[in-house]
Amino acid sequence: MTNRGDVLRGVMLETGITQSELSRISGVRQPSISQFLSGQGHLSDDMLDRLLSCMGYRLEVVRRPVKQGLGRSPERSWRLHRQLSTHLTPGTLRKWRRVMLRNVHRLRESTRGQPHLRNLDRWQRLIQDGDLLGLRRVMTGLDTDSVQMREVSPMGGLLSQEERAEVLRLAS
C-alpha cells in the first residue's frame, strides 16, 4: 500500500467497515470517501488520519532521505551555490549586495519569459531584504523552484577562481 487511498482501502477491508459506515462514524460524506478510494479526491494526511482513527488505527508517516538525482548542469550549479552559502553571513551579504543587484540588473536585460523574470524579482527581494534564510534555501534547495531560481542566479563572480575550480573539479 503506497498511496493514501490504498492505505484507507486496506484498513477498511481489514476492519470490514463500509463506506457508508465510515461516513456515519466520521462525518465525512460517502461520495468524498468514494473519491478518496478511487484517487479522484485529494486525501490529505490529516484527513486520512481522521478516517483511520474512526477504525481504530492511526497514520504513521515514515520519513527517509532519498538521494536527489540532478542533471549535470543543475548539479554543478547546486554545488557552486552550496559553496557560496558557506560564506553567506550578514557581513558578506552587505559586501556582496552591490554586485548581486548589478548582476540581477544585467540578467534582467538578457532574460525573457517566465519563470525567469519572476525569479529575478524574487532574487532582488531576497537580497534587498537581507533574507539570509531565504537565500540559503534557494541556494541549496533541490526542489524545482530552487533549481529554476539558480538558472538566473545573481551570484556570479562571488567565488574566487580557485574555489570555483575546486568545486567543479569535485563535481566531475
Side-chain angles (χ1 to χ4, degrees):
M1 291 186 252
T2 55
N3 73 42
R4 292 178 184 105
D6 289 342
V7 171
L8 180 59
R9 180 179 297 101
V11 173
M12 288 175 69
L13 287 171
E14 190 170 316
T15 60
I17 197 166
T18 66
Q19 291 181 31
S20 297
E21 290 172 306
L22 184 56
S23 174
R24 281 193 301 278
I25 296 167
S26 67
V28 175
R29 296 183 39 217
Q30 184 276 325
S32 295
I33 293 171
S34 177
Q35 287 181 334
F36 297 153
L37 292 169
S38 69
Q40 299 299 311
H42 174 68
L43 179 56
S44 67
D45 283 345
D46 287 340
M47 178 58 77
L48 178 57
D49 189 49
R50 178 176 160 200
L51 293 170
L52 292 177
S53 69
C54 293
M55 297 180 284
Y57 285 75
R58 66 181 182 82
L59 180 63
E60 181 178 292
V61 178
V62 178
R63 302 205 189 290
R64 61 185 171 85
V66 177
K67 177 80 170 129
Q68 183 70 28
L70 294 173
R72 178 176 154 80
S73 181
E75 168 95 15
R76 290 166 49 103
S77 178
W78 172 75
R79 286 181 179 274
L80 289 166
H81 283 83
R82 186 178 70 168
Q83 183 64 31
L84 267 170
S85 76
T86 67
H87 300 294
L88 188 60
T89 66
T92 56
L93 180 57
R94 277 191 300 279
K95 286 196 310 193
W96 294 349
R97 179 176 276 129
R98 206 167 84 232
V99 171
M100 292 189 305
L101 291 175
R102 187 175 33 214
N103 286 345
V104 167
H105 179 71
R106 183 181 48 78
L107 286 164
R108 211 179 280 289
E109 291 174 347
S110 61
T111 301
R112 301 286 177 261
Q114 299 298 349
H116 300 312
L117 292 172
R118 182 174 49 252
N119 289 341
L120 286 170
D121 291 339
R122 287 183 55 208
W123 276 116
Q124 187 168 343
R125 275 193 310 278
L126 289 168
I127 295 163
Q128 288 174 334
D129 293 348
D131 186 350
L132 292 177
L133 182 60
L135 285 166
R136 284 184 197 284
R137 282 186 183 143
V138 170
M139 292 167 74
T140 62
L142 296 175
D143 56 288
T144 301
D145 181 59
S146 295
V147 170
Q148 288 177 348
M149 286 283 287
R150 290 191 298 269
E151 289 175 359
V152 288
S153 172
M155 303 294 179
L158 298 176
L159 279 180
S160 70
Q161 282 298 84
E162 297 79 25
E163 197 171 5
R164 185 179 193 289
E166 180 64 13
V167 169
L168 294 176
R169 184 186 67 76
L170 294 172
S172 37

